[in-house]
Amino acid sequence: MSLVTFSLQEVLDAFKLCLSENKEVYLEHYVSGWRGLVKFLNSLGSVFGFISKDAVGKIKILEGYLEGDNSSQYATVQLMVKYELDNQLVDLTKRGNHPESGCRTLLRLHRALRWLELFLERLRVSGQDEKTSVMCADAYDQSLSQHHPWVVRKAAGLAFCVLPGREAFFQVMNVGSAEQVVSVLGEAVPLISEVYQITETLYAEQQLLQLP
Ligand code: 1PX
């Protein structure tokens, strides 16, 4: 993956590689998809620094597990959940000895993935004159915002206001004409949605959706 320029195609490729034949989620590619998204965010300017910083922190935690002594237990989200739960490595009700478990860290990105799904779908069907800031805020209000305290919601709302317009936004995506963007989005959204749903079902089954 290129280090500097963002391309929506690269993110799409990472999320494509995420799913194994029997629908397990490879952590390596999940994290790599997020790294690509952060690159996009960084190219939008320093106003988004506080969001990018938080995402990078979480990406680094997961990368640490992927490179650590128990890396084989972190190959997929399914394995990670089983390993961490079997070995009591997750704070289940309040923060304690495992404030940076893979399970709670991934949950934060997972919730953000729902925002991304809603936002990209909204972008995909949007008309030329629609505002990215409004699409982004709507997607946020319907998803991630319910997990954030007032101060974070306020800061996010302010950041959304300086998002570039739809046309400039499409250019930063780096996949060509508006038609091409719409077509790549048409491929990306169902894929992101599937990765989201699989993780959501797994976390719901294991009652992990409210991890502190
Ligand atoms: C092709 C276009 C795609 C656009 C890609 C943009 C990538 C955005 C990446 C956002 C990653 C956000 C991760 C947030 C994780 C989170 O919820 N963290 C909170 C809880 O963590 P904790 O460890 O404390 O339990 C944390 O408090 C978050 C703080 C930062 C504020 C997060 C605001 C999120 C707004 C999401 C929308 C991003 C707007 C980007 C505009 C394109």
Side-chain angles (χ1 to χ4, degrees):
M1 195 178 277
S2 147
L3 284 173
V4 236
T5 41
F6 169 86
S7 162
L8 181 62
Q9 188 63 50
E10 284 184 9
V11 170
L12 175 60
D13 291 344
F15 281 108
K16 257 187 204 160
L17 290 171
C18 255
L19 289 182
S20 77
E21 248 171 67
N22 42 4
K23 306 285 180 195
E24 288 169 329
V25 179
Y26 291 121
L27 194 56
E28 182 194 347
H29 298 296
Y30 192 93
V31 166
S32 153
W34 275 106
R35 235 186 284 121
L37 288 164
V38 165
K39 223 161 37 174
F40 181 89
L41 195 59
N42 288 340
S43 71
L44 295 180
S46 53
V47 189
F48 299 93
F50 75 106
I51 304 176
S52 160
K53 213 174 136 190
D54 185 74
V56 168
K58 291 179 168 55
I59 289 170
K60 289 213 165 120
I61 292 172
L62 294 175
E63 281 174 345
Y65 291 123
L66 281 168
E67 290 157 12
D69 294 340
N70 297 309
S71 58
S72 62
Q73 311 282 3
Y74 287 86
T76 66
V77 175
Q78 286 73 7
L79 283 170
M80 172 187 83
V81 165
K82 180 166 182 359
Y83 169 73
E84 288 195 343
L85 288 179
D86 286 353
N87 293 280
Q88 284 91 42
L89 295 171
V90 186
D91 292 338
L92 294 172
T93 47
K94 57 177 178 11
R95 301 196 80 173
N97 296 330
H98 306 286
E100 297 196 337
S101 69
C103 286
R104 71 87 60 193
T105 303
L106 187 110
L107 176 62
R108 272 45 187 188
L109 295 179
H110 167 70
R111 289 167 174 168
L113 198 64
R114 174 71 181 150
W115 160 80
L116 184 71
E117 177 192 345
L118 294 172
F119 177 53
L120 294 184
E121 176 58 15
R122 195 58 198 281
L123 265 181
R124 188 181 74 81
V125 300
S126 65
Q128 229 170 5
D129 300 327
E130 282 190 70
K131 281 189 158 43
T132 47
S133 54
V134 174
M135 299 186 243
C136 185
D138 286 350
Y140 178 72
D141 290 344
Q142 286 169 35
S143 57
L144 198 48
S145 78
Q146 54 208 74
H147 303 287
H148 287 162
W150 181 86
V151 54
V152 171
R153 290 204 302 264
K154 196 78 194 160
L158 289 173
F160 298 158
C161 292
V162 301
L163 277 175
R166 183 175 175 274
E167 198 179 330
F169 204 90
F170 275 17
Q171 265 162 22
V172 187
M173 285 179 167
N174 216 357
V175 281
S177 67
E179 291 74 35
Q180 282 167 301
V181 172
V182 169
S183 139
V184 174
L185 286 176
E187 219 187 318
V189 173
L191 212 64
I192 288 171
S193 169
E194 190 177 13
V195 172
Y196 176 84
Q197 282 310 330
I198 290 171
T199 313
E200 179 76 7
T201 305
L202 173 71
Y203 268 60
E205 279 166 6
Q206 302 293 332
Q207 294 176 327
L208 299 176
L209 285 170
Q210 301 301 331
L211 289 180

